[in-house]
Amino acid sequence: PLIIKVASIQAARMQVYFIDNDDYFHKRCMIADENGVEYADNIERAIFYARGVLETVKKLRWVPEVIHCQGWMSAFVPLYIKKAYQEEPSFRDSKVIFSLFGENPQSMVEENWVEKAMLKGIEKSDIESVINQPANYEDLLKLAISYSDGVIQNSEKINSNLLEYAQEKGIPTLEYQTPENYAEAFNNFYDEIWSKDK
């Protein structure tokens, strides 16, 4: 079951929506437990999260212009938007930006995860043309990059292969920005991606 929680940030006059599930997220850290052991179901958690967010956006009838995905937990969102949800009114014109961070999980692999990721509108070749089996963490992020309209380097140090991969594919990239500059740089990058091909 998908649990949606809503909170408000009064000073910013903004609502925040939380996607939750007792099995996947309750009393868990992000990638690994307190002993550093990575969760065996991380890929399944990311798939659940991506589908939960996209279905929530549909139900709320939002029509986002730019969707900014933050790290591995949102890695399936670009694929789903560009393939499974491409005809949905909520996402038909959406641009997707994916942020890369310095995290480096070691065992982000589950058996049969490609089958788990399948939705109507997605072919196995959509995934397997990008990654090798068995896939690792870098492959998962390459999958996200392949279906994104732009890529942001969000940490000062990241896997340089990933930024190079985006540049080789001709996907616009924004290199690391300092805390003083990132808000304006991100806004300009959003505008650049949104206006591209318009």
Side-chain angles (χ1 to χ4, degrees), residues 50-173:
R51 292 186 66 187
V53 168
L54 296 174
E55 288 297 325
T56 300
V57 170
K58 265 178 58 180
K59 290 209 182 312
L60 294 173
R61 295 190 176 147
W62 290 342
V63 183
E65 293 176 345
V66 175
I67 298 169
H68 190 165
C69 302
Q70 301 279 339
W72 73 270
M73 182 61 82
S74 63
F76 289 98
V77 172
L79 169 69
Y80 287 169
I81 288 174
K82 299 297 182 175
K83 292 291 182 179
Y85 289 79
Q86 65 179 337
E87 295 303 321
E88 291 288 342
S90 288
F91 305 108
R92 192 176 297 135
D93 298 320
S94 297
K95 299 289 186 177
V96 181
I97 294 174
F98 188 75
S99 271
L100 298 168
F101 292 86
E103 60 204 8
N104 190 25
Q106 300 302 308
S107 58
M108 185 81 74
V109 180
E110 290 178 35
E111 286 187 35
N112 305 319
W113 73 264
V114 172
E115 285 78 15
K116 292 177 185 177
M118 299 303 291
L119 292 177
K120 184 179 177 185
I122 299 176
E123 304 289 334
K124 275 192 177 182
S125 60
D126 295 328
I127 297 173
E128 292 173 344
S129 65
V130 176
I131 61 171
N132 301 311
Q133 292 291 336
N136 59 27
Y137 175 70
E138 184 175 319
D139 292 325
L140 179 64
L141 296 188
K142 284 182 178 178
L143 181 68
I145 290 166
S146 294
Y147 291 98
S148 295
D149 299 294
V151 174
I152 293 177
Q153 178 182 342
N154 243 86
S155 296
E156 195 166 358
K157 293 183 180 179
I158 63 165
N159 180 340
S160 60
N161 294 340
L162 296 169
L163 211 54
E164 288 168 15
Y165 178 78
Q167 291 163 346
E168 286 168 10
K169 292 187 74 62
I171 298 169
T173 59

Side-chain angles (χ1 to χ4, degrees), residues 66 68 97 99 150-154 172-194:
V66 175
H68 190 165
I97 294 174
S99 271
V151 174
I152 293 177
Q153 178 182 342
N154 243 86
T173 59
L174 179 65
E175 294 187 359
Y176 177 73
Q177 302 293 311
T178 62
E180 307 82 49
N181 300 330
Y182 85 90
E184 184 178 354
F186 280 23
N187 278 331
N188 291 338
F189 193 62
Y190 295 155
D191 290 342
E192 175 190 335
I193 299 303
W194 172 244

